[in-house]
Amino acid sequence: MHWNELTSMDQLELLEIQSQTQPVLIFKHSTRCSISRFALKQFENEFDLQDKITPYYLDLLNHRDISNELAIQFNVQHQSPQIILLKNRVVVYHTSHENIDATELKKYL
């Protein structure tokens, strides 16, 4: 699976714009957490929507400021691990921890 890295606040506006033509997924991951590592691995094994969703990876330890801004901007409580799906500039789906399931995303396309 190819992840685009979310590493700057400037990208948030670009993600919103991009979500108008193709849904954008953000996977918030803590590299020190075994639960997050497991959720990421399982998600990557299940994900088969490469041509339908643009996936972004957010390393929470290096970019907590971006995660905080996501919570404010999209009114989604911060959790880790967490996935957020944007479509037409709004969050259409989000979940965290053991509820992260790549197959669930198909319902929101």
Side-chain angles (χ1 to χ4, degrees):
M1 176 170 181
H2 172 71
W3 290 102
N4 299 290
E5 291 189 37
L6 180 51
T7 58
S8 106
M9 293 282 215
D10 296 336
Q11 286 177 280
L12 295 180
E13 177 65 24
L14 296 174
L15 293 180
E16 278 191 80
I17 293 167
Q18 185 179 9
S19 76
Q20 292 178 290
T21 56
Q22 182 167 350
V24 171
L25 174 82
I26 302 166
F27 192 107
K28 294 169 42 177
H29 174 59
S30 173
T31 56
R32 283 192 224 153
C33 174
S34 61
I35 294 169
S36 190
R37 193 170 27 258
F38 177 78
L40 176 63
K41 201 56 117 174
Q42 182 174 327
F43 182 86
E44 289 177 329
N45 288 336
E46 296 172 347
F47 187 78
D48 64 351
L49 301 167
Q50 290 82 352
D51 9 344
K52 296 181 180 158
I53 294 176
T54 305
Y56 283 84
Y57 171 91
L58 176 60
D59 178 341
L60 292 173
L61 297 181
N62 289 320
H63 302 289
R64 182 59 189 257
D65 59 331
I66 297 172
S67 179
N68 291 341
E69 183 59 30
L70 277 168
I72 294 166
Q73 190 169 331
F74 296 111
N75 197 29
V76 175
Q77 180 180 355
H78 164 78
Q79 296 197 44
S80 170
Q82 182 177 36
I83 59 171
I84 299 170
L85 184 64
L86 298 174
K87 190 174 178 183
N88 296 318
R89 300 182 83 115
V90 297
V91 174
V92 294
Y93 177 70
H94 65 92
T95 193
S96 66
H97 295 84
E98 68 278 349
N99 294 322
I100 294 174
D101 182 349
T103 59
E104 279 293 305
L105 297 174
K106 293 175 183 174
K107 296 177 184 177
Y108 301 93
L109 298 182

